[in-house]
Amino acid sequence: MSVKPAAIAFTLSLLAVSACAPVNSFQGFQVVDQAPADVKVGTDTRDTVLARLGSPTATATFDKNTWFYISQVSNKTAFYHPRVLRRDIVAIQFDKDSQTVTALNTYTLKDGRIIAFNGRETPTRGRQITVLEQLIGSISAASALPQDENQTPGSHPDDPGPH
């Protein structure tokens, strides 16, 4: 039985095309029974939100009365960087005293901002030494060490050695 080169080429091209198929991945809070948007301001409390939605994805750093439920869907194709398709952040704020929901805000990718980082380096004090200065410095530092044959490597010169 002989395998035709056309069949081999067709099979290899199918494998190559399937390797480039996009893969979706889901991260963060996934809605099961209740959505965070179903929370009612002024009616729900911290306990009812916890029972309905579960633990938050994150809490605010300086205000523990703000909970965040974050979910994200991203897409990765072959060797390209992942691309975020959807991101939803629901921020629920509670009253400090009564523990009732005071605000419910939903943010998406459209609400985000791209931050441009500055790639320049901050200069530090001191000067750069050359390779030659490094070599001379390491040779002179090695000659300054005591040359004691009875000294164990890694021990201090003043420590009593094995006798």
Side-chain angles (χ1 to χ4, degrees):
M1 179 174 154
S2 67
V3 178
K4 296 185 179 188
I8 294 173
F10 180 73
T11 304
L12 290 175
S13 65
L14 281 178
L15 288 173
V17 168
S18 67
C20 294
V23 176
N24 288 340
S25 61
F26 303 89
Q27 297 100 15
F29 177 78
Q30 301 299 318
V31 175
V32 179
D33 294 330
Q34 299 284 327
D38 295 338
V39 173
K40 304 288 185 239
V41 176
T43 305
D44 284 317
T45 64
R46 184 185 299 258
D47 293 333
T48 60
V49 171
L50 189 61
R52 185 182 297 162
L53 302 176
S55 298
T57 308
T59 59
T61 304
F62 299 110
D63 181 17
K64 300 300 180 193
N65 294 315
T66 302
W67 289 1
F68 298 103
Y69 290 91
I70 304 168
S71 66
Q72 175 174 293
V73 178
S74 58
N75 183 317
K76 181 161 174 54
T77 303
F79 52 84
Y80 295 109
H81 290 290
R83 189 178 61 152
V84 177
L85 299 176
R86 192 181 88 228
R87 181 180 301 135
D88 297 314
I89 301 172
V90 177
I92 301 174
Q93 295 176 341
F94 299 98
D95 183 56
K96 188 186 298 184
D97 299 324
S98 66
Q99 301 297 314
T100 59
V101 176
T102 58
L104 179 88
N105 299 311
T106 303
Y107 305 103
T108 64
L109 278 174
K110 294 177 184 176
D111 298 316
R113 294 186 183 112
I114 296 175
I115 300 171
F117 292 101
N118 189 347
R120 295 180 293 167
E121 295 180 10
T122 304
T124 58
R125 297 188 66 178
R127 65 180 191 91
Q128 299 290 329
I129 60 173
T130 64
V131 175
L132 184 60
E133 289 173 326
Q134 288 178 359
L135 288 173
I136 292 172
S138 64
I139 292 171
S140 64
S143 64
L145 293 175
Q147 303 297 326
D148 186 5
E149 291 82 24
N150 295 328
Q151 187 70 32
T152 306
S155 64
H156 192 272
D158 294 336
D159 289 342
H163 297 286

